[in-house]
Amino acid sequence: QMKKRADHYSLDMIQKWKTLFGKELWVLNYHQGGDIISNAFCQMIPEASNTCASFKASSSGTIVQNKGSEKAHRIHIDRMATEAYDRGWLKNTAITRSMARNAIESRLGDPSILSRMNNVSLDCLAPEEKKVLLNKSLVAEAELFPEFFASEKGEREVRSRFSQVVEKKKFCSVDVNTVLDTDDWESFFKSL
C-alpha cells in the first residue's frame, strides 16, 4: 500500500526549482524504458535532433552503464584507502589517496572483484529501510508521472526495477573494515 506524500527530497527540490526559476520544470522518467541518455537528448532538448539521432543509432547506453558500474567499484577502493589512512597504515605522507587507490587496484587486479568475493561482508539497507525507500519512490513516481504511473506498466515497472536493484545488492556496500582485517592489508599499506 502506497502512503501519502510525506517528505521526499526529489519532490521538494522540484518545488524549490520551480519557485526559483518560475518556469515549467521537466523531469525525465527513468522508468519509461530505452536508453536514458538518448531519452534526455531526444525528449528534453528538442534542438538536439542530430545528437538524438546519433544516440539512437549507437549503443551508447551500454557504455554509460558500464562506466557507472566501474565507478561503483571504485568507491569501495576509495573507502579502503581512506580507512587505511584513518588506521594510520599510510605513514608516508607523500602517498595520496589516488596513489593508494591505484595500489589497491593493482593488488586486486580488477576492482569489481571486491563485490564478487565470497568472503566479503556487505553492509546493506535493513528490510524496513528498503520498504521506506520503495514507498518514497512510488509516491514520487505517482506525483511526477501520474499518467505513466496509472498505466499498466507504471507501478509494476517501478516495483520490478526496485526488486532488481535489491537483488543486485545495489543498496549494499562492501564492509571495508572486514576486508581490511583480512589478507594482511596492514602490511601492504605500510609498505607503500
Side-chain angles (χ1 to χ4, degrees), residues 103-158:
I104 296 166
E105 287 178 356
S106 293
R107 182 175 185 198
L108 292 173
D110 173 12
S112 68
I113 196 169
L114 277 175
S115 57
R116 293 193 318 261
M117 291 167 55
N118 292 332
N119 62 342
V120 171
S121 175
L122 297 175
D123 287 326
C124 301
L125 290 179
E128 187 56 37
E129 292 171 313
K130 290 176 196 168
K131 284 181 189 175
V132 168
L133 190 56
L134 173 59
N135 185 57
K136 286 185 176 226
S137 297
L138 292 169
V139 168
E141 199 74 25
E143 188 168 323
L144 291 171
F145 309 107
E147 288 176 24
F148 175 80
F149 193 77
S151 75
E152 180 184 318
K153 190 176 179 184
E155 182 176 350
R156 185 174 44 94
E157 178 72 13
V158 174

Short mmCIF file of all heavy atoms in Angstrom, two decimals, residues 103-158:
data_model
loop_
_atom_site.label_atom_id
_atom_site.label_comp_id
_atom_site.label_asym_id
_atom_site.label_seq_id
_atom_site.Cartn_x
_atom_site.Cartn_y
_atom_site.Cartn_z
N ALA A 103 47.27 1.54 -6.07
CA ALA A 103 47.99 0.39 -5.49
C ALA A 103 47.00 -0.72 -5.13
O ALA A 103 47.27 -1.91 -5.37
CB ALA A 103 48.77 0.83 -4.25
N ILE A 104 45.86 -0.36 -4.56
CA ILE A 104 44.84 -1.36 -4.21
C ILE A 104 44.34 -2.05 -5.47
O ILE A 104 44.22 -3.27 -5.52
CB ILE A 104 43.66 -0.71 -3.44
CG1 ILE A 104 44.13 -0.15 -2.11
CG2 ILE A 104 42.53 -1.71 -3.25
CD1 ILE A 104 43.12 0.78 -1.44
N GLU A 105 44.04 -1.25 -6.51
CA GLU A 105 43.55 -1.82 -7.76
C GLU A 105 44.58 -2.76 -8.37
O GLU A 105 44.23 -3.82 -8.89
CB GLU A 105 43.17 -0.71 -8.75
CG GLU A 105 41.89 -0.01 -8.36
CD GLU A 105 41.52 1.13 -9.31
OE1 GLU A 105 42.30 1.44 -10.23
OE2 GLU A 105 40.44 1.70 -9.11
N SER A 106 45.86 -2.40 -8.29
CA SER A 106 46.91 -3.28 -8.81
C SER A 106 46.95 -4.58 -8.03
O SER A 106 47.11 -5.66 -8.60
CB SER A 106 48.28 -2.60 -8.72
OG SER A 106 48.34 -1.51 -9.59
N ARG A 107 46.80 -4.50 -6.72
CA ARG A 107 46.82 -5.72 -5.89
C ARG A 107 45.62 -6.61 -6.20
O ARG A 107 45.76 -7.83 -6.28
CB ARG A 107 46.83 -5.35 -4.41
CG ARG A 107 46.90 -6.59 -3.53
CD ARG A 107 47.03 -6.28 -2.09
NE ARG A 107 47.22 -7.54 -1.34
CZ ARG A 107 47.04 -7.67 -0.07
NH1 ARG A 107 46.68 -6.63 0.67
NH2 ARG A 107 47.22 -8.82 0.51
N LEU A 108 44.46 -6.01 -6.38
CA LEU A 108 43.25 -6.80 -6.65
C LEU A 108 43.17 -7.28 -8.09
O LEU A 108 42.57 -8.30 -8.38
CB LEU A 108 41.99 -5.98 -6.33
CG LEU A 108 41.75 -5.65 -4.86
CD1 LEU A 108 40.58 -4.70 -4.73
CD2 LEU A 108 41.53 -6.91 -4.06
N GLY A 109 43.75 -6.51 -9.00
CA GLY A 109 43.66 -6.83 -10.42
C GLY A 109 42.43 -6.22 -11.06
O GLY A 109 42.51 -5.54 -12.05
N ASP A 110 41.28 -6.43 -10.48
CA ASP A 110 40.01 -5.92 -11.02
C ASP A 110 39.20 -5.40 -9.84
O ASP A 110 38.85 -6.17 -8.95
CB ASP A 110 39.28 -7.06 -11.72
CG ASP A 110 37.87 -6.69 -12.16
OD1 ASP A 110 37.52 -5.48 -12.14
OD2 ASP A 110 37.11 -7.61 -12.54
N PRO A 111 38.90 -4.09 -9.82
CA PRO A 111 38.16 -3.53 -8.68
C PRO A 111 36.84 -4.23 -8.38
O PRO A 111 36.42 -4.31 -7.24
CB PRO A 111 37.91 -2.08 -9.07
CG PRO A 111 38.82 -1.79 -10.19
CD PRO A 111 39.19 -3.10 -10.84
N SER A 112 36.19 -4.77 -9.40
CA SER A 112 34.89 -5.40 -9.18
C SER A 112 35.02 -6.72 -8.41
O SER A 112 34.03 -7.28 -7.98
CB SER A 112 34.16 -5.63 -10.50
OG SER A 112 34.84 -6.60 -11.27
N ILE A 113 36.26 -7.19 -8.25
CA ILE A 113 36.46 -8.45 -7.52
C ILE A 113 35.95 -8.34 -6.08
O ILE A 113 35.49 -9.32 -5.51
CB ILE A 113 37.95 -8.89 -7.54
CG1 ILE A 113 38.06 -10.36 -7.12
CG2 ILE A 113 38.80 -8.01 -6.65
CD1 ILE A 113 39.42 -10.95 -7.37
N LEU A 114 36.00 -7.15 -5.52
CA LEU A 114 35.53 -6.97 -4.14
C LEU A 114 34.09 -7.43 -3.97
O LEU A 114 33.76 -8.11 -3.03
CB LEU A 114 35.64 -5.50 -3.71
CG LEU A 114 36.99 -5.04 -3.23
CD1 LEU A 114 36.96 -3.54 -2.97
CD2 LEU A 114 37.41 -5.78 -1.97
N SER A 115 33.25 -7.03 -4.90
CA SER A 115 31.83 -7.38 -4.76
C SER A 115 31.55 -8.82 -5.18
O SER A 115 30.48 -9.34 -4.92
CB SER A 115 30.96 -6.41 -5.55
OG SER A 115 31.34 -6.41 -6.89
N ARG A 116 32.52 -9.48 -5.81
CA ARG A 116 32.32 -10.87 -6.23
C ARG A 116 32.97 -11.88 -5.28
O ARG A 116 32.76 -13.06 -5.40
CB ARG A 116 32.89 -11.07 -7.64
CG ARG A 116 32.13 -10.31 -8.71
CD ARG A 116 32.52 -10.76 -10.10
NE ARG A 116 33.93 -10.99 -10.28
CZ ARG A 116 34.78 -10.12 -10.84
NH1 ARG A 116 34.36 -8.98 -11.28
NH2 ARG A 116 36.05 -10.42 -10.97
N MET A 117 33.82 -11.39 -4.35
CA MET A 117 34.49 -12.29 -3.43
C MET A 117 33.48 -12.89 -2.46
O MET A 117 32.63 -12.19 -1.93
CB MET A 117 35.58 -11.53 -2.65
CG MET A 117 36.76 -11.12 -3.52
SD MET A 117 37.88 -9.93 -2.75
CE MET A 117 38.35 -10.72 -1.25
N ASN A 118 33.57 -14.19 -2.26
CA ASN A 118 32.61 -14.89 -1.40
C ASN A 118 32.69 -14.46 0.05
O ASN A 118 31.70 -14.45 0.76
CB ASN A 118 32.80 -16.40 -1.50
CG ASN A 118 32.42 -16.93 -2.86
OD1 ASN A 118 31.58 -16.35 -3.53
ND2 ASN A 118 33.05 -18.00 -3.28
N ASN A 119 33.89 -14.13 0.51
CA ASN A 119 34.06 -13.84 1.94
C ASN A 119 33.92 -12.36 2.27
O ASN A 119 34.20 -11.96 3.38
CB ASN A 119 35.41 -14.36 2.42
CG ASN A 119 36.58 -13.69 1.70
OD1 ASN A 119 36.39 -13.10 0.64
ND2 ASN A 119 37.76 -13.79 2.25
N VAL A 120 33.49 -11.56 1.32
CA VAL A 120 33.35 -10.13 1.59
C VAL A 120 31.99 -9.87 2.25
O VAL A 120 30.94 -10.26 1.73
CB VAL A 120 33.48 -9.29 0.30
CG1 VAL A 120 33.12 -7.85 0.55
CG2 VAL A 120 34.90 -9.37 -0.22
N SER A 121 32.06 -9.24 3.37
CA SER A 121 30.86 -8.87 4.10
C SER A 121 30.28 -7.59 3.49
O SER A 121 31.03 -6.69 3.11
CB SER A 121 31.24 -8.65 5.57
OG SER A 121 30.16 -8.19 6.30
N LEU A 122 28.97 -7.52 3.42
CA LEU A 122 28.30 -6.35 2.86
C LEU A 122 27.48 -5.65 3.93
O LEU A 122 26.89 -6.30 4.80
CB LEU A 122 27.38 -6.75 1.71
CG LEU A 122 28.03 -7.36 0.48
CD1 LEU A 122 26.96 -7.81 -0.50
CD2 LEU A 122 28.98 -6.39 -0.19
N ASP A 123 27.46 -4.33 3.87
CA ASP A 123 26.56 -3.52 4.68
C ASP A 123 25.39 -3.16 3.77
O ASP A 123 25.58 -2.48 2.77
CB ASP A 123 27.24 -2.22 5.15
CG ASP A 123 28.26 -2.46 6.23
OD1 ASP A 123 28.06 -3.37 7.05
OD2 ASP A 123 29.26 -1.72 6.26
N CYS A 124 24.21 -3.62 4.12
CA CYS A 124 23.03 -3.38 3.27
C CYS A 124 21.94 -2.67 4.07
O CYS A 124 21.93 -2.71 5.29
CB CYS A 124 22.47 -4.70 2.75
SG CYS A 124 23.64 -5.66 1.77
N LEU A 125 21.02 -2.04 3.34
CA LEU A 125 19.87 -1.44 3.99
C LEU A 125 19.05 -2.53 4.67
O LEU A 125 18.90 -3.64 4.14
CB LEU A 125 18.98 -0.72 2.98
CG LEU A 125 19.51 0.55 2.35
CD1 LEU A 125 18.48 1.09 1.36
CD2 LEU A 125 19.82 1.60 3.40
N ALA A 126 18.51 -2.21 5.82
CA ALA A 126 17.62 -3.13 6.53
C ALA A 126 16.31 -3.25 5.75
O ALA A 126 15.94 -2.33 5.00
CB ALA A 126 17.36 -2.60 7.94
N PRO A 127 15.59 -4.37 5.90
CA PRO A 127 14.32 -4.53 5.18
C PRO A 127 13.35 -3.36 5.37
O PRO A 127 12.71 -2.92 4.42
CB PRO A 127 13.75 -5.82 5.77
CG PRO A 127 14.95 -6.60 6.20
CD PRO A 127 15.94 -5.56 6.68
N GLU A 128 13.27 -2.81 6.59
CA GLU A 128 12.37 -1.69 6.83
C GLU A 128 12.82 -0.44 6.05
O GLU A 128 11.99 0.31 5.52
CB GLU A 128 12.28 -1.38 8.33
CG GLU A 128 11.23 -0.35 8.68
CD GLU A 128 9.83 -0.68 8.18
OE1 GLU A 128 9.43 -1.87 8.19
OE2 GLU A 128 9.12 0.25 7.77
N GLU A 129 14.13 -0.24 5.95
CA GLU A 129 14.65 0.90 5.18
C GLU A 129 14.33 0.74 3.70
O GLU A 129 14.01 1.71 3.01
CB GLU A 129 16.16 1.02 5.39
CG GLU A 129 16.56 1.43 6.79
CD GLU A 129 18.05 1.33 7.03
OE1 GLU A 129 18.66 0.29 6.67
OE2 GLU A 129 18.62 2.28 7.60
N LYS A 130 14.40 -0.49 3.21
CA LYS A 130 14.05 -0.75 1.81
C LYS A 130 12.58 -0.45 1.55
O LYS A 130 12.22 0.11 0.52
CB LYS A 130 14.37 -2.20 1.44
CG LYS A 130 15.86 -2.49 1.37
CD LYS A 130 16.08 -3.97 1.10
CE LYS A 130 17.51 -4.35 1.42
NZ LYS A 130 17.69 -5.81 1.45
N LYS A 131 11.72 -0.83 2.50
CA LYS A 131 10.28 -0.55 2.36
C LYS A 131 10.03 0.96 2.29
O LYS A 131 9.24 1.43 1.48
CB LYS A 131 9.50 -1.16 3.53
CG LYS A 131 9.32 -2.64 3.45
CD LYS A 131 8.52 -3.14 4.64
CE LYS A 131 8.52 -4.65 4.71
NZ LYS A 131 7.86 -5.14 5.92
N VAL A 132 10.70 1.70 3.17
CA VAL A 132 10.54 3.16 3.19
C VAL A 132 11.00 3.75 1.86
O VAL A 132 10.32 4.60 1.27
CB VAL A 132 11.32 3.79 4.37
CG1 VAL A 132 11.41 5.30 4.25
CG2 VAL A 132 10.68 3.39 5.70
N LEU A 133 12.14 3.28 1.37
CA LEU A 133 12.68 3.79 0.11
C LEU A 133 11.76 3.45 -1.06
O LEU A 133 11.50 4.31 -1.92
CB LEU A 133 14.08 3.21 -0.12
CG LEU A 133 14.89 3.79 -1.25
CD1 LEU A 133 15.04 5.30 -1.10
CD2 LEU A 133 16.26 3.13 -1.29
N LEU A 134 11.23 2.23 -1.10
CA LEU A 134 10.29 1.85 -2.15
C LEU A 134 9.05 2.74 -2.09
O LEU A 134 8.59 3.24 -3.12
CB LEU A 134 9.89 0.38 -2.04
CG LEU A 134 8.79 -0.07 -3.01
CD1 LEU A 134 9.20 0.14 -4.46
CD2 LEU A 134 8.43 -1.53 -2.74
N ASN A 135 8.51 2.95 -0.90
CA ASN A 135 7.33 3.79 -0.75
C ASN A 135 7.59 5.21 -1.25
O ASN A 135 6.78 5.79 -1.96
CB ASN A 135 6.84 3.81 0.70
CG ASN A 135 5.54 4.58 0.81
OD1 ASN A 135 4.57 4.24 0.15
ND2 ASN A 135 5.55 5.61 1.62
N LYS A 136 8.75 5.77 -0.89
CA LYS A 136 9.08 7.12 -1.35
C LYS A 136 9.20 7.15 -2.87
O LYS A 136 8.78 8.12 -3.52
CB LYS A 136 10.37 7.61 -0.69
CG LYS A 136 10.17 8.00 0.75
CD LYS A 136 11.43 8.59 1.35
CE LYS A 136 11.15 9.04 2.76
NZ LYS A 136 11.67 10.36 3.02
N SER A 137 9.75 6.09 -3.44
CA SER A 137 9.87 6.02 -4.90
C SER A 137 8.51 5.96 -5.55
O SER A 137 8.26 6.63 -6.56
CB SER A 137 10.68 4.77 -5.30
OG SER A 137 11.98 4.85 -4.81
N LEU A 138 7.60 5.18 -4.99
CA LEU A 138 6.25 5.07 -5.54
C LEU A 138 5.50 6.40 -5.45
O LEU A 138 4.83 6.81 -6.40
CB LEU A 138 5.47 3.97 -4.82
CG LEU A 138 5.95 2.54 -5.06
CD1 LEU A 138 5.28 1.57 -4.09
CD2 LEU A 138 5.72 2.11 -6.50
N VAL A 139 5.64 7.07 -4.31
CA VAL A 139 4.98 8.36 -4.12
C VAL A 139 5.50 9.38 -5.13
O VAL A 139 4.73 10.08 -5.79
CB VAL A 139 5.17 8.86 -2.67
CG1 VAL A 139 4.74 10.32 -2.54
CG2 VAL A 139 4.40 7.99 -1.70
N ALA A 140 6.82 9.44 -5.27
CA ALA A 140 7.42 10.39 -6.21
C ALA A 140 7.01 10.08 -7.64
O ALA A 140 6.66 10.98 -8.41
CB ALA A 140 8.94 10.37 -6.08
N GLU A 141 7.04 8.83 -8.00
CA GLU A 141 6.67 8.42 -9.36
C GLU A 141 5.22 8.79 -9.65
O GLU A 141 4.90 9.30 -10.72
CB GLU A 141 6.88 6.91 -9.49
CG GLU A 141 6.98 6.40 -10.88
CD GLU A 141 8.30 6.71 -11.57
OE1 GLU A 141 9.32 6.90 -10.92
OE2 GLU A 141 8.27 6.76 -12.82
N ALA A 142 4.33 8.54 -8.70
CA ALA A 142 2.91 8.87 -8.89
C ALA A 142 2.70 10.37 -9.03
O ALA A 142 1.86 10.82 -9.81
CB ALA A 142 2.10 8.32 -7.72
N GLU A 143 3.46 11.15 -8.28
CA GLU A 143 3.30 12.61 -8.34
C GLU A 143 3.95 13.22 -9.57
O GLU A 143 3.39 14.10 -10.21
CB GLU A 143 3.88 13.25 -7.08
CG GLU A 143 3.56 14.73 -6.99
CD GLU A 143 3.87 15.31 -5.63
OE1 GLU A 143 3.66 14.63 -4.61
OE2 GLU A 143 4.33 16.47 -5.60
N LEU A 144 5.12 12.71 -9.94
CA LEU A 144 5.85 13.28 -11.07
C LEU A 144 5.31 12.82 -12.42
O LEU A 144 5.30 13.57 -13.39
CB LEU A 144 7.34 12.93 -10.98
CG LEU A 144 8.11 13.58 -9.85
CD1 LEU A 144 9.50 12.97 -9.73
CD2 LEU A 144 8.20 15.08 -10.06
N PHE A 145 4.90 11.55 -12.50
CA PHE A 145 4.47 10.97 -13.76
C PHE A 145 3.12 10.26 -13.59
O PHE A 145 3.02 9.04 -13.71
CB PHE A 145 5.53 9.97 -14.26
CG PHE A 145 6.91 10.53 -14.30
CD1 PHE A 145 7.86 10.13 -13.36
CD2 PHE A 145 7.29 11.46 -15.25
CE1 PHE A 145 9.15 10.64 -13.38
CE2 PHE A 145 8.57 11.98 -15.28
CZ PHE A 145 9.50 11.57 -14.34
N PRO A 146 2.07 11.02 -13.28
CA PRO A 146 0.79 10.39 -12.96
C PRO A 146 0.23 9.52 -14.08
O PRO A 146 -0.32 8.44 -13.82
CB PRO A 146 -0.13 11.57 -12.65
CG PRO A 146 0.57 12.79 -13.12
CD PRO A 146 2.02 12.47 -13.21
N GLU A 147 0.38 9.95 -15.33
CA GLU A 147 -0.15 9.15 -16.44
C GLU A 147 0.60 7.85 -16.58
O GLU A 147 0.01 6.78 -16.74
CB GLU A 147 -0.10 9.95 -17.74
CG GLU A 147 -1.10 11.07 -17.80
CD GLU A 147 -0.97 11.90 -19.07
OE1 GLU A 147 -0.45 11.38 -20.08
OE2 GLU A 147 -1.38 13.07 -19.04
N PHE A 148 1.91 7.93 -16.53
CA PHE A 148 2.72 6.72 -16.62
C PHE A 148 2.43 5.80 -15.44
O PHE A 148 2.26 4.59 -15.60
CB PHE A 148 4.21 7.05 -16.68
CG PHE A 148 5.09 5.83 -16.65
CD1 PHE A 148 5.31 5.10 -17.80
CD2 PHE A 148 5.69 5.42 -15.47
CE1 PHE A 148 6.11 3.96 -17.78
CE2 PHE A 148 6.47 4.28 -15.44
CZ PHE A 148 6.69 3.55 -16.59
N PHE A 149 2.38 6.37 -14.25
CA PHE A 149 2.18 5.56 -13.05
C PHE A 149 0.83 4.85 -13.08
O PHE A 149 0.71 3.71 -12.64
CB PHE A 149 2.28 6.43 -11.79
CG PHE A 149 2.39 5.64 -10.53
CD1 PHE A 149 3.58 5.04 -10.16
CD2 PHE A 149 1.29 5.48 -9.70
CE1 PHE A 149 3.69 4.29 -9.00
CE2 PHE A 149 1.39 4.74 -8.52
CZ PHE A 149 2.59 4.14 -8.19
N ALA A 150 -0.18 5.50 -13.63
CA ALA A 150 -1.52 4.91 -13.71
C ALA A 150 -1.62 3.85 -14.82
O ALA A 150 -2.55 3.05 -14.81
CB ALA A 150 -2.57 5.99 -13.95
N SER A 151 -0.65 3.85 -15.73
CA SER A 151 -0.69 2.88 -16.82
C SER A 151 -0.39 1.48 -16.31
O SER A 151 0.06 1.28 -15.19
CB SER A 151 0.33 3.27 -17.91
OG SER A 151 1.65 2.97 -17.47
N GLU A 152 -0.63 0.51 -17.18
CA GLU A 152 -0.39 -0.89 -16.83
C GLU A 152 1.08 -1.11 -16.43
O GLU A 152 1.39 -1.90 -15.55
CB GLU A 152 -0.74 -1.77 -18.03
CG GLU A 152 -0.52 -3.25 -17.77
CD GLU A 152 -0.78 -4.08 -19.01
OE1 GLU A 152 -1.77 -3.81 -19.71
OE2 GLU A 152 0.01 -5.00 -19.26
N LYS A 153 1.97 -0.40 -17.09
CA LYS A 153 3.40 -0.58 -16.85
C LYS A 153 3.90 0.20 -15.62
O LYS A 153 4.87 -0.21 -14.99
CB LYS A 153 4.16 -0.11 -18.10
CG LYS A 153 5.61 -0.43 -18.11
CD LYS A 153 6.25 -0.01 -19.42
CE LYS A 153 7.71 -0.32 -19.42
NZ LYS A 153 8.39 0.14 -20.61
N GLY A 154 3.26 1.28 -15.25
CA GLY A 154 3.72 2.21 -14.23
C GLY A 154 4.22 1.64 -12.93
O GLY A 154 5.41 1.42 -12.73
N GLU A 155 3.31 1.42 -11.99
CA GLU A 155 3.71 0.96 -10.66
C GLU A 155 4.42 -0.38 -10.74
O GLU A 155 5.41 -0.62 -10.03
CB GLU A 155 2.50 0.86 -9.73
CG GLU A 155 2.88 0.44 -8.33
CD GLU A 155 1.72 0.43 -7.36
OE1 GLU A 155 0.62 0.93 -7.70
OE2 GLU A 155 1.91 -0.07 -6.23
N ARG A 156 3.96 -1.24 -11.62
CA ARG A 156 4.59 -2.56 -11.77
C ARG A 156 6.06 -2.41 -12.17
O ARG A 156 6.93 -3.10 -11.65
CB ARG A 156 3.83 -3.37 -12.82
CG ARG A 156 4.30 -4.80 -12.99
CD ARG A 156 3.39 -5.60 -13.94
NE ARG A 156 3.01 -4.88 -15.13
CZ ARG A 156 3.66 -4.98 -16.29
NH1 ARG A 156 4.70 -5.75 -16.42
NH2 ARG A 156 3.24 -4.30 -17.35
N GLU A 157 6.35 -1.48 -13.08
CA GLU A 157 7.72 -1.24 -13.54
C GLU A 157 8.59 -0.71 -12.41
O GLU A 157 9.73 -1.15 -12.23
CB GLU A 157 7.72 -0.25 -14.72
CG GLU A 157 9.08 0.09 -15.24
CD GLU A 157 9.75 -1.04 -16.01
OE1 GLU A 157 9.08 -2.03 -16.36
OE2 GLU A 157 10.96 -0.92 -16.24
N VAL A 158 8.08 0.21 -11.63
CA VAL A 158 8.84 0.77 -10.51
C VAL A 158 9.16 -0.33 -9.50
O VAL A 158 10.30 -0.47 -9.05
CB VAL A 158 8.08 1.93 -9.83
CG1 VAL A 158 8.81 2.41 -8.59
CG2 VAL A 158 7.88 3.08 -10.81
#
